[in-house]
Amino acid sequence: MRQRPRTSELLSSARAHQVAYLADLAELVAIDSGSYSADGVNKVADWVQARLDRLGFTVDRVHLPGTQGHRPGDALVARRQGRLTEADGGRRILLAAHMDTVFDDGTAAQRPFRLDGCIAHGPGVSDDKGGLVAGLTALTILQERGAEEYAELVFLATPDEEIGSPSSRNVTEEAARGMHYGLGLECARENGDLVIARKGVADFRLTVTGRAAHAGIEPERGANAALTAAHLVVALQDLNGRWDDVTVNVGVLRAGTRANIVCPEAELHVEVRSATAAGVKRAKEAIQEAASRPAVPGTTVAIEQLDLCPPMEDTPASRSMLAKAQAAAGALGFEIGATSTGGVGDANLIAGTGLPVLDGLGPIGGADHTPQEWLDAASVPQRVALLGALIVALGDSTQEP
């Protein structure tokens, strides 16, 4: 018979690792690893790779191409085979965390790791070094308990999530292919909720072309691109509220060079966020329709889609994962909910491949991207045990939750 470790055993192990967890977290927080600090990110990667090596993972360190003049740090894709084949019910599980923060070099020295009671502070303590260490700690306690009833575990650590994963996106999508489940190690919401859905984001650039003319002598010969752009701003902002799950924001508007010239060109940068791929599609079609009817005769509008980060949708498959997480939490003596968020992350890219994903499986934290960022150290044992129990529950499809 296949023996699962009891959730109480996982909790005992997680409590036994609490001191080591905080020491590891302090060590990583002391490393400046902003997205644009490749050397700092690679110091974190060195640390993570050494830990994965000790856990018996085969680690592929991926040197990524630069984008827009930026040299990124490396990505890590680590694999460990379990005892079960897929034919015997074994499942392949992807755990995803990121190594970069939003903070500049020098921040770690200015705001070093500290504990105020049970609240930890420091740059990246919650986003995402707390989740990164939680994932490694969960893998450690599973190894100690001999829990290897799965087909394969893949641990992904990326270097540029905070700037939209421009270099690591392909690595993330490739790692997700062939998996059965994805687990995001961002920290839990402040109230302890997991994340069941994240909005997707599509970025567009609209270029309005008009016709220049002297504004004082012969303005009638011109076609004012700025005026068309102004009408577009109103029309696009009015899309808000048309659909419950879609927001549209004209975030940048540029037009003209001189006040005495009828404006010949204008540019709008537009962001669409939606909880579903269908919502993104509807908004895109509405933008195209508005652009096809320029307000000023003689002007034209060209649309370019600059980027698309797919939504992490709330699906029956992700709800099934949530049910198993809630059952595990109940066995550990607490309750968890799930929420949707407008923020994006690597979980969006994973979900975009069709893989069901549950995110927010790190400890409880908050105030991300600010000097007040915090992590509740008291939540660590329960959350590490929950992650371990969920891996156990998902890894063997023949077992009941």
Side-chain angles (χ1 to χ4, degrees):
M1 294 180 60
R2 298 170 184 172
Q3 297 294 326
R4 290 184 177 188
R6 296 186 182 90
T7 51
S8 59
E9 295 172 340
L10 294 176
L11 183 56
S12 295
S13 293
R15 285 172 174 160
H17 280 273
Q18 173 77 332
V19 172
Y21 173 95
L22 292 173
D24 289 343
L25 183 59
E27 190 172 349
L28 288 189
V29 168
I31 301 172
D32 285 311
S33 59
S35 307
Y36 296 105
S37 177
D39 291 341
V41 171
N42 282 340
K43 288 179 182 178
V44 176
D46 292 341
W47 189 98
V48 174
Q49 182 172 1
R51 182 61 55 89
L52 289 166
D53 285 339
R54 293 203 297 271
L55 289 170
F57 280 74
T58 300
V59 184
D60 181 18
R61 185 154 179 161
V62 184
H63 303 294
L64 299 171
T67 57
Q68 299 178 342
H70 159 58
R71 178 176 72 89
D74 298 336
L76 301 177
V77 183
R79 300 178 180 273
R80 192 177 197 279
Q81 300 299 313
R83 291 196 186 105
L84 301 181
T85 65
E86 288 189 50
D88 290 330
R91 292 295 176 257
R92 301 181 188 279
I93 302 171
L94 174 67
L95 291 82
H98 64 90
M99 300 178 288
D100 60 321
T101 74
V102 301
F103 300 106
D104 294 333
D105 285 351
T107 307
Q110 294 167 4
R111 292 193 290 107
F113 178 87
R114 75 179 196 276
L115 271 175
D116 292 336
C118 65
I119 302 300
H121 295 278
V125 70
S126 169
D127 185 17
D128 182 33
K129 291 176 179 179
L132 181 67
V133 178
L136 294 170
T137 305
L139 295 177
T140 300
I141 67 174
L142 289 179
Q143 184 188 69
E144 291 174 352
R145 292 288 175 178
E148 298 182 6
E149 275 64 46
Y150 51 81
E152 184 182 38
L153 296 181
V154 176
F155 193 95
L156 170 70
T158 57
D160 57 351
E161 188 271 350
E162 294 291 7
I163 55 173
S165 306
S167 295
S168 66
R169 178 170 183 161
N170 290 341
V171 173
T172 296
E173 292 172 339
E174 185 60 32
R177 293 188 178 96
M179 297 290 107
H180 294 97
Y181 302 105
L183 302 178
L185 301 180
E186 297 282 359
C187 281
R189 305 298 92 173
E190 292 188 17
N191 66 354
D193 280 355
L194 305 184
V195 177
I196 192 71
R198 292 181 176 273
K199 282 188 175 182
V201 180
D203 292 324
F204 299 91
R205 177 166 57 208
L206 279 63
T207 302
V208 184
T209 302
R211 186 168 55 251
H214 193 294
I217 298 174
E218 48 188 10
E220 70 281 357
R221 293 192 174 187
N224 197 316
L227 182 55
T228 289
H231 280 274
L232 278 172
V233 170
V234 174
L236 298 185
Q237 290 295 147
D238 278 349
L239 294 176
N240 288 292
R242 182 179 295 188
W243 310 283
D244 290 340
D245 68 330
V246 177
T247 58
V248 179
N249 182 59
V250 181
V252 176
L253 173 61
R254 301 189 184 97
T257 57
R258 294 173 64 94
N260 61 353
I261 300 174
V262 175
C263 178
E265 188 170 87
E267 183 176 278
L268 298 83
H269 286 218
V270 184
E271 180 194 82
V272 171
R273 291 189 184 235
S274 175
T276 65
V280 173
K281 183 174 183 291
R282 287 194 296 267
K284 180 178 180 179
E285 290 170 349
I287 293 170
Q288 291 171 329
E289 197 275 333
S292 72
R293 298 180 288 101
V296 177
T299 61
T300 60
V301 184
I303 302 175
E304 180 184 2
Q305 183 169 321
L306 301 177
D307 194 18
L308 173 63
C309 180
M312 172 184 155
E313 297 194 32
D314 185 341
T315 67
S318 58
R319 283 283 162 179
S320 176
M321 294 173 67
L322 174 62
K324 291 185 177 183
Q326 289 173 324
L332 290 164
F334 66 102
E335 296 181 356
I336 53 170
T339 191
S340 301
T341 177
V344 302
D346 283 341
N348 291 72
L349 304 179
I350 295 167
T353 68
L355 190 66
V357 184
L358 194 59
D359 201 0
L361 285 159
I364 295 171
D368 297 352
H369 300 188
T370 76
Q372 292 75 42
E373 183 178 5
W374 59 273
L375 180 135
D376 182 2
S379 74
V380 169
Q382 282 187 331
R383 295 292 163 152
V384 168
L386 171 63
L387 177 58
L390 184 57
I391 293 170
V392 169
L394 296 173
D396 184 355
S397 66
T398 69
Q399 298 289 316
E400 293 297 323

